[in-house]
Structures are given as structure tokens and as C-alpha cells.
Amino acid sequence: MKIENATVLVTGANRGLGLVFTRELLARGARKVYAGARDPATITQPGVLPLRLDVTNPDDVAAAAKQASDVTLVINNAGIAQSGGFLAADSVDVTRRIFETNFFGMLHMSKAFAPILKANGGGALLNVLSVVSWVSGAMAAYSASKSAAWSLTNALRLELAAQKTQVLGLHMGFVDTDLAREFDAPKSSAEEIVKRALDGLESGLDEVLADERTVQVKQGLTATRPSYLPQAS
Ligand SMILES: NC(=O)c1ccc[n+]([C@@H]2O[C@H](COP(=O)([O-])OP(=O)(O)OC[C@H]3O[C@@H](n4cnc5c(N)ncnc54)[C@H](OP(=O)(O)O)[C@@H]3O)[C@@H](O)[C@H]2O)c1
């Protein structure tokens, strides 16, 4: 999928990785960039078309699909996170809330835009996942939502093959955005992650492992002691 002359919709485009995606898409010659945001007034990037889009709201998703019917690339980027384990008192409510955005939001968007991508020649879906698709940690419900979103991405790839829609899963560890602010750990810049993601998309890849830790974790899945089990320190 080439970015030049593409018409793109990015969810969660007002800040963090989403904002950087819109900038890089414009720099690579995208014809039109719809910037989805819960509050379109928070879109500051010049040259994009702000779109009211809460991915958990089916009416917003349907309205976006009507308005952005020329889209050839959808970037499912919107996401939320919260620290805590499954044994915490509020874990069921927290898990439902996180899945509503990170899993069902992606599902709603993908279903609404699949026929549009087909009508526009196939195009692509880029789903923003994480290294925690494969390992859990301080954010248990978030990790589970990314595992589920990884499975969704793999299923969509199979279902959309017939209409020639490229489906790319993007995995990475910490990125220097608001979402990871509470963690004192090495972080990639949003700019480098977005560049690797779009390079991978333009090269026709199905999956991008955007940092070294993610490469190691994925390789470690088949180790004698796989990476998702506690490692000796
Ligand atoms: N940062 C990391 O370390 C990291 C690592 C791996 C993967 N990721 C993934 O990267 C993606 C982007 O995260 P980020 O790091 O850029 O986080 P961020 O700076 O917190 O930005 C999150 C974005 O998602 C939007 N959003 C949240 N709920 C939404 C909803 N229901 N509908 C539409 N938009 C919604 C937010 O909008 P508001 O401004 O309205 O809240 C914001 O624009 C997420 O999928 C995240 O899981 C992040």
C-alpha cells in the first residue's frame, strides 16, 4: 500500500501516536487525512479533516463511515490503558471499559470500513497493537485487550484477503506518549515508531515489530522458557 495519494482515517488523532501518524501521512503525500477524535476541537494539526469519532459509539462510527467513504487506509490507533491486576477490586469494570475501546472499538471500525475499503480497491487496515499482545505485566486488562486485538487483526487478515485489503499489526513496547507517562522505562519516540509502521505498510508487510524488545519477546515465544512466563532475573 502506497501512502502517496492515499485517503486515510486515523482514530485518536488529536495526540500521541495518532497525531504523529497524521503528520507523517501528510509528509508522505497522502491526498486526504481524516483525523478522528472524541472532541474534534482538540485537533491541532493543519491540513487534516477533523472528524468526531468516539470508537465506542456506534452512531459516531456509522457517521464517520458515511462521511469518509473515500478512505483507502484506516489506522485503528485509539486506545486506553490502566495499571492494575485482575485481582484488583474494580478489575471487571476496568477490563470491560478497556475492551470497549481497544477491542470492540477496533471491531466496530473494521466492520464499518471493510466495505468502503473494498469499494475503493482493497486498501489497508493498520491496527495499533503492542508487545503486551504476548506478555502481561503491570497493566493486566490492557494486555488482555491487546491479545484480543491481535487475534482480531489475524482473523480480519484472513477474512479481508479476498478483497485484497492489506492488514498490518503494529507491535511495540513503551512509546513516549501520555499513555506511558507513569512508567520510568526506556521508551521509543512516537516519530520512530510511526516511520517504521508506515515503512512496513508501504513494503507490503502484515506485521511490524517496531523495537528491539518486541523482536526479542516474539522470538522468545518458542524458547524453552517462553517470554510470557516469569524470567529468571
Ligand atoms: N504509548 C505506549 O507506550 C504504547 C505502546 C504500545 C502500544 N500503544 C498503543 O498506541 C495507541 C496510541 O496510544 P498513545 O500512546 O498515542 O496514547 P495517548 O497519547 O494516550 O493517546 C490515545 C489516543 O486515543 C484516543 N482515544 C481514547 N479513547 C478513545 C475513544 N473511545 N474513541 C476515540 N479515540 C479515543 C485519545 O483521545 P482523547 O484525547 O479524547 O483521550 C487519544 O487521542 C494505543 O492503541 C495504545 O494502546 C501505546
Side-chain angles (χ1 to χ4, degrees):
M1 160 108 211
K2 290 292 159 213
I3 305 295
E4 195 174 6
N5 290 324
T7 297
V8 191
L9 189 160
V10 182
T11 66
N14 53 317
R15 61 192 173 95
L17 280 153
L19 170 60
V20 175
F21 266 117
T22 63
R23 275 194 202 130
E24 184 64 19
L25 288 161
L26 291 170
R28 292 185 187 216
R31 186 198 306 269
K32 199 191 275 187
V33 177
Y34 294 101
R38 290 194 277 201
D39 177 2
T42 58
I43 298 288
T44 53
Q45 174 63 38
V48 301
L49 293 166
L51 202 62
R52 178 178 303 283
L53 181 53
D54 179 336
V55 298
T56 68
N57 181 333
D59 292 341
D60 277 12
V61 174
K66 209 166 176 185
Q67 192 177 335
S69 60
D70 51 351
V71 157
T72 57
L73 167 61
V74 174
I75 301 185
N76 279 316
N77 164 76
I80 55 172
Q82 187 170 323
S83 291
F86 281 127
L87 299 182
D90 59 353
S91 69
V92 171
D93 289 345
V94 168
T95 304
R96 284 215 171 91
R97 191 175 65 84
I98 292 178
F99 266 71
E100 208 49 59
T101 301
N102 296 4
F103 179 79
F104 290 106
M106 188 178 276
L107 176 57
H108 278 306
M109 283 294 296
S110 304
K111 285 184 76 171
F113 280 88
I116 291 171
L117 294 174
K118 182 180 184 182
N120 296 333
L125 268 184
L126 192 167
N127 288 349
V128 180
L129 305 169
S130 170
V131 69
V132 302
S133 308
W134 301 308
V135 285
S136 198
M139 301 192 286
Y142 174 73
S143 303
S145 77
K146 291 297 183 181
S147 299
W150 175 50
S151 184
L152 169 62
T153 302
N154 293 336
L156 288 170
R157 187 176 299 112
L158 298 176
E159 291 186 49
L160 293 172
Q163 67 175 55
K164 300 199 185 319
T165 298
Q166 181 186 353
V167 178
L168 186 150
L170 170 66
H171 299 262
M172 66 281 196
F174 286 126
V175 186
D176 192 8
T177 67
D178 294 342
L179 187 139
R181 188 183 289 160
E182 69 181 282
F183 296 100
D184 182 17
K187 294 172 191 172
S188 302
S189 74
E191 285 74 14
E192 61 187 313
I193 297 297
V194 163
K195 281 198 169 77
R196 284 176 194 156
L198 295 181
D199 286 349
L201 189 79
E202 297 208 271
S203 305
L205 298 183
D206 293 325
E207 185 169 85
V208 168
L209 310 181
D211 58 29
E212 195 46 43
R213 174 163 183 256
T214 305
V215 171
Q216 283 171 5
V217 165
K218 175 99 186 293
Q219 278 172 356
L221 291 175
T222 55
T224 310
R225 186 163 180 82
S227 42
Y228 52 84
L229 296 180
Q231 303 294 302
S233 51

